[in-house]
């Protein structure tokens, strides 16, 4: 009887630990996004979870490690979405539009990710640079973009001499700015970049701009 019950209790503890860590990361994500790295307090995170500050240190090692874990999970979400992207059956134009739409949708649906990335840039990406996990994650989107670019260039559809990293930056910058600068842009120009009524317009515009750049006629060098 003992040999049967013991694994169940062990598995239960593992599940409880996983749930606790996930809850800590959920709350920590909100707190870091709200207050920034310097302003966030582990005491506050502990108070909002069913655990203690001591337990947070036990699981993550400290505030710096906790913030790194938050970043690792935030990036893993979009990397997982990129890995699941299926554009192999699409022509290069439709494929690059689908990739742009994926980035657009993710950035819109995860405003905390935008704030966390902004905070990490303020800190010179020191947590990302020190994270072995983030160094291994890379970006599946880059492999997809490379294949799409190669296909588009071989078929003659794409005329731009651009690499995957630069194209990824072009797409991400539009999506990032729309969320990160929503309030300042609205205050200055009186237009809400995340207005639901204009969502499809902005989403379509992103794809149109990228495709227009890739397919524009170019003079011979």
């Amino acid at each position: 009887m003992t040999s049967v019950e013991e694994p169940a209790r062990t598995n239960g503890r593992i599940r409880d630990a996983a749930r606790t860590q996930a809850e800590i990361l959920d709350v920590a994500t909100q707190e870091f996004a709200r207050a920034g790295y310097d302003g966030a307090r582990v005491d506050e995170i502990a108070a909002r979870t069913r655990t203690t500050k001591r337990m947070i240190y036990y699981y993550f090692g400290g505030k710096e490690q906790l913030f790194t874990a938050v970043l690792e999970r935030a990036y893993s979400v979009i990397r997982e979405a990129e890995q699941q992207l299926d554009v192999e059956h699409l022509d290069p134009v439709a494929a690059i539009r689908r990739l742009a739409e994926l980035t657009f949708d993710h950035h819109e649906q995860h405003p905390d990710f935008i704030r966390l990335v902004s905070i990490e840039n303020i800190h010179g990406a020191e947590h990302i640079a020190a994270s072995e996990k983030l160094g291994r994650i890379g970006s599946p989107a880059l492999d997809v973009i490379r294949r799409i670019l190669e296909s588009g260039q071989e078929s003659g559809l794409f005329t731009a001499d651009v690499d995957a990293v630069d194209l990824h930056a072009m797409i991400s910058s539009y999506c990032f700015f729309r969320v990160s600068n929503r309030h300042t842009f609205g205050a200055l120009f009186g237009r809400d970049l995340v207005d639901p009524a204009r969502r499809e317009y902005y989403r379509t515009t992103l794809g149109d701009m990228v495709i227009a750049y890739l397919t524009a006629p170019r003079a011979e060098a």
Side-chain angles (χ1 to χ4, degrees):
M1 187 71 174
T2 301
S3 62
V4 174
E5 292 182 348
E6 183 61 28
R9 289 198 297 269
T10 300
N11 290 340
R13 286 196 294 271
I14 291 173
R15 286 194 297 271
D16 287 343
R19 281 196 296 266
T20 300
Q21 291 177 60
E23 182 183 10
I24 292 170
L25 288 173
D26 287 341
V27 174
T29 295
Q30 298 168 8
E31 182 64 11
F32 282 121
R34 181 191 67 82
Y37 177 76
D38 293 328
R41 296 289 178 267
V42 177
D43 286 327
E44 177 65 20
I45 295 170
R48 293 175 54 195
T49 59
R50 293 171 296 177
T51 187
T52 64
K53 183 177 179 179
R54 179 179 178 183
M55 189 60 68
I56 291 175
Y57 285 151
Y58 172 78
Y59 283 130
F60 297 99
K63 180 180 177 181
E64 182 175 356
Q65 293 91 333
L66 177 59
F67 183 63
T68 299
V70 165
L71 287 173
E72 289 172 346
R73 191 177 69 159
Y75 273 100
S76 69
V77 172
I78 189 169
R79 296 301 176 252
E80 182 177 349
E82 291 170 351
Q83 288 176 331
Q84 294 176 356
L85 181 65
D86 180 16
V87 295
E88 300 300 328
H89 62 292
L90 300 176
D91 66 81
V93 170
I96 208 68
R97 183 182 290 276
R98 180 67 193 94
L99 178 68
E101 291 172 346
L102 170 71
T103 306
F104 182 98
D105 294 344
H106 178 274
H107 283 40
E108 179 183 71
Q109 294 163 7
H110 298 84
D112 280 353
F113 173 74
I114 304 299
R115 288 190 283 270
L116 290 169
V117 173
S118 298
I119 292 163
E120 179 63 353
N121 273 284
I122 291 172
H123 289 271
E126 61 185 36
H127 302 91
I128 290 178
S131 169
E132 292 184 8
K133 183 176 181 179
L134 285 171
R136 295 193 303 268
I137 284 178
S139 177
L142 292 180
D143 293 332
V144 176
I145 292 174
R146 289 188 186 99
R147 292 197 297 271
I148 297 172
L149 286 175
E150 289 174 1
S151 176
Q153 289 163 351
E154 289 173 359
S155 66
L157 287 170
F158 293 167
T159 60
D161 183 17
V162 62
D163 68 14
V165 174
D166 285 341
L167 187 59
H168 182 63
M170 291 168 59
I171 294 171
S172 296
S173 61
Y174 179 98
C175 301
F176 196 96
F177 181 96
R178 178 172 168 266
V179 180
S180 68
N181 289 41
R182 170 189 181 181
H183 300 295
T184 52
F185 195 89
L188 291 170
F189 302 106
R191 179 165 295 176
D192 184 359
L193 293 176
V194 296
D195 179 359
R198 293 179 62 83
R199 180 182 187 275
E200 286 307 311
Y201 166 78
Y202 288 127
R203 194 171 186 260
T204 301
T205 297
L206 169 61
D208 290 346
M209 288 192 302
V210 172
I211 292 167
Y213 169 71
L214 291 174
T215 61
R218 286 171 169 80
E220 292 291 336

